Amino acid sequence: MAVRATLFAMGIVLVSCSSPETEEEVVRERSELANAAETTPAQPLTVQELWDVIESVQDQLESGEYMLAGRSVDLITRSLDIREPSDPESLWAALHVRARYQIKANNIQGAIENEERALAIANTAQDEQQITLSTSSLGVAYDHAGRHAEAQVRFQQVIALREAALGSDSIEYGMELTHLGVSYEYELKCAEAEATMRRALDVFHGSRGLRGRSIALSSLGNCACHQHRFEEARGY
């Protein structure tokens, strides 16, 4: 009850779903939480609770449940506003997942601010995985903001990191190539975009990386259209 009262005090209403409840039981539980919240100051999430919410956001973003992800991110934000976690890993994860959601919600400036801060934390910790994820996410945010040159620098950095860590035949390496190719396409740099997407297709052969292959083929088709190569574009 104490944890749930704390969440209630923060404005998050949680009702148990472990067993069917009548409307009367739901009303009674909310009343009990409201009474407890009056004497329970809002507290930040514990580290374990924070990680649980972070993992929920990641799952919700992957499954396209953006409304639920938004509610979970609100809980992270309220907790951070009260007090940020002292350990850098938890703070990095909270900022990074919030930035990922903000990109989906088209809050691009917010995403840039959160991911730039997350990247600074990762650089201080010299955590290569965190640096890779934040740099890639920051590149996507820069692209959405129209800062394509900066995005391309970030994507090139991540491509080098992915190649060093996983090899040039990894799906992760190929996906970063598609990010770079799309950024070139935004600027109508069709020669660069086509060359980059063809490199990506070398990774996404057969049934490997169907999503990345789809992105690459779509971009190649778009580039062909931009250059009035319509017959070729239809082939993609």
Side-chain angles (χ1 to χ4, degrees):
M1 175 65 77
V3 171
R4 298 183 68 205
T6 298
L7 298 178
F8 195 97
M10 293 171 64
I12 308 298
V13 180
L14 300 179
V15 176
S16 171
C17 296
S18 57
S19 60
E21 295 175 307
T22 66
E23 183 177 351
E24 181 181 346
E25 289 172 329
V26 170
V27 171
R28 183 175 64 251
E29 182 175 9
R30 291 190 175 184
S31 176
E32 290 173 355
L33 283 171
N35 291 334
E38 290 180 1
T39 57
T40 305
Q43 296 291 325
L45 299 173
T46 66
V47 171
Q48 184 57 59
E49 289 166 349
L50 180 60
W51 277 102
D52 287 344
V53 179
I54 288 168
E55 290 175 4
S56 293
V57 176
Q58 292 171 335
D59 291 342
Q60 289 156 356
L61 289 175
E62 289 299 320
S63 61
E65 298 175 285
Y66 300 129
M67 183 174 293
L68 289 176
R71 292 174 182 170
S72 300
V73 168
D74 283 345
L75 179 52
I76 292 173
T77 297
R78 294 182 193 200
S79 182
L80 294 183
D81 286 346
I82 298 169
R83 185 172 66 244
E84 293 183 345
S86 57
D87 68 297
E89 184 179 8
S90 296
L91 181 55
W92 172 84
L95 294 170
H96 174 63
V97 80
R98 183 162 66 177
R100 287 186 59 205
Y101 167 74
Q102 287 171 323
I103 290 172
K104 294 293 186 183
N106 204 33
N107 179 4
I108 304 305
Q109 187 56 41
I112 289 172
E113 291 171 0
N114 278 287
E115 205 63 84
E116 285 180 339
R117 190 174 171 211
L119 181 57
I121 293 170
N123 282 327
T124 298
Q126 297 185 328
D127 187 305
E128 186 171 299
Q129 178 70 0
Q130 291 179 2
I131 291 170
T132 299
L133 293 174
S134 280
T135 302
S136 179
S137 180
L138 192 55
V140 173
Y142 283 159
D143 245 353
H144 281 282
R147 297 161 60 177
H148 303 303
E150 293 172 88
Q152 289 154 24
V153 169
R154 297 297 184 182
F155 293 142
Q156 288 162 349
Q157 292 171 343
V158 180
I159 288 168
L161 289 169
R162 291 295 196 191
E163 183 174 19
L166 302 173
S168 59
D169 62 344
S170 67
I171 296 297
E172 292 84 357
Y173 174 82
M175 287 304 301
E176 298 303 337
L177 286 172
T178 67
H179 289 158
L180 178 60
V182 167
S183 185
Y184 285 140
E185 185 193 333
Y186 284 153
E187 290 193 296
L188 296 181
K189 293 182 177 179
C190 290
E192 292 91 336
E194 288 178 317
T196 303
M197 289 305 189
R198 292 189 192 284
R199 287 172 62 194
L201 286 177
D202 287 340
V203 177
F204 304 131
H205 51 78
S207 60
R208 297 182 75 236
L210 293 178
R211 177 171 173 268
R213 181 177 178 81
S214 175
I215 293 170
L217 290 173
S218 176
S219 181
L220 286 169
N222 291 339
C223 287
C225 282
H226 291 319
Q227 298 175 87
H228 307 292
R229 291 155 31 211
F230 301 117
E231 189 64 32
E232 180 183 341
R234 280 191 283 272
Y236 293 114

